[in-house]
Amino acid sequence: MKRLILLIASVGMAFSTVLTASGLERDTLTGSGVEKDTLTAEVANDKTQQKVERKRSRQEKREQIRKEEELLKAEAYAKALAALNNREFVLEIDKINFPGYPSIFCSPSTNFISMNGEEAVIQIAMDNHNPRQNGIGGLTLQGRVTELTSSKTEDGNILCSYYVQGVGISAKIDITLVEGDSYVSAKLNPTYRGKTTILSGQLVPIEESSVYKGQPL
């Protein structure tokens, strides 16, 4: 009888030990799951934070580029305005609108309008396969500046008008300098015949221009 009681007690103790071990294992597994979930959440938060930081960095770079572009544009406008007032400028033409035709894009290094005191030059050179009159594929006209006037509109734009008289040329030129921008449009009106041609490009001081002048008429 005593042996039976001892056997039952031993079995009970063994069963209790198994239950206890199983409970500990479950607790350990449960704890590992919590730690895993916590780690996953931390990784997700880190990735979200990294995305936010990258987005903020891109925005800051774009803002910095925008400010630099605005500063350069303001400086270019100030130089253009001073050059126009000093009568020492070059309009480097990159687009021409002949009456009745689509816009033509051209090289600003060989197409330009310039003024240096009383002297004005108008050069159009777009035929690279034919030297033509000026030796570089176009026409170079030179003359004297007369009747120059300048005025400012209510919205801050500058209107500069003058005549050019010389060998092979008699024309009126009207230049519009929009406030804050050095990219201008100029109307070329032949005095006696012909239609108005629109010339567009950057207006820069003579000393900063890199145009190539052909042989004048």
Side-chain angles (χ1 to χ4, degrees):
M1 184 67 178
K2 290 182 179 180
R3 291 182 179 179
L4 180 60
I5 294 172
L6 289 174
L7 179 62
I8 293 173
S10 298
V11 171
M13 291 178 63
F15 184 71
S16 176
T17 302
V18 171
L19 290 178
T20 302
S22 298
L24 290 174
E25 183 177 359
R26 284 197 302 271
D27 291 342
T28 302
L29 291 176
T30 303
S32 299
V34 171
E35 291 178 358
K36 185 177 181 180
D37 291 343
T38 302
L39 181 61
T40 302
E42 290 178 352
V43 171
N45 290 335
D46 288 342
K47 289 183 177 180
T48 301
Q49 186 62 30
Q50 289 174 4
K51 289 181 180 180
V52 171
E53 291 296 331
R54 287 196 296 268
K55 183 177 180 181
R56 182 185 298 116
S57 178
R58 289 194 297 268
Q59 290 175 340
E60 290 176 351
K61 288 181 180 179
R62 285 196 293 265
E63 182 66 17
Q64 181 64 28
I65 292 173
R66 184 187 65 79
K67 290 181 179 179
E68 291 175 355
E69 289 176 345
E70 289 181 350
L71 180 60
L72 291 174
K73 189 174 182 179
E75 291 177 351
Y77 171 75
K79 290 181 179 180
L81 180 59
L84 197 63
N85 291 334
N86 294 334
R87 303 173 70 168
E88 296 179 347
F89 66 84
V90 179
L91 170 53
E92 299 180 343
I93 301 167
D94 60 16
K95 185 173 68 174
I96 301 177
N97 289 87
F98 292 109
Y101 294 91
S103 299
I104 299 175
F105 293 93
C106 56
S107 172
S109 63
T110 54
N111 295 271
F112 65 90
I113 293 174
S114 69
M115 181 189 295
N116 188 4
E118 300 296 328
E119 182 181 89
V121 176
I122 299 172
Q123 178 171 286
I124 303 297
M126 297 186 293
D127 191 350
N128 297 327
H129 304 289
N130 189 329
R132 295 191 178 276
Q133 172 267 318
N134 61 5
I136 57 173
L139 187 68
T140 302
L141 303 174
Q142 193 168 297
R144 302 289 292 177
V145 176
T146 62
E147 301 183 45
L148 185 146
T149 61
S150 182
S151 60
K152 190 173 184 178
T153 64
E154 293 182 356
D155 51 4
N157 299 336
I158 304 297
L159 304 178
C160 178
S161 300
Y162 59 96
Y163 287 87
V164 179
Q165 303 289 340
V167 178
I169 183 173
S170 177
K172 182 185 180 185
I173 297 177
D174 299 303
I175 297 176
T176 301
L177 178 64
V178 177
E179 185 177 19
D181 196 350
S182 61
Y183 192 86
V184 308
S185 293
K187 295 180 180 179
L188 177 61
N189 302 283
T191 304
Y192 301 113
R193 61 186 178 85
K195 298 181 180 180
T196 301
T197 300
I198 307 297
L199 312 170
S200 304
Q202 293 288 340
L203 194 145
V204 299
I206 284 181
E207 63 270 16
E208 294 187 10
S209 177
S210 58
V211 297
Y212 179 81
K213 180 182 175 182
Q215 180 64 36
L217 187 64

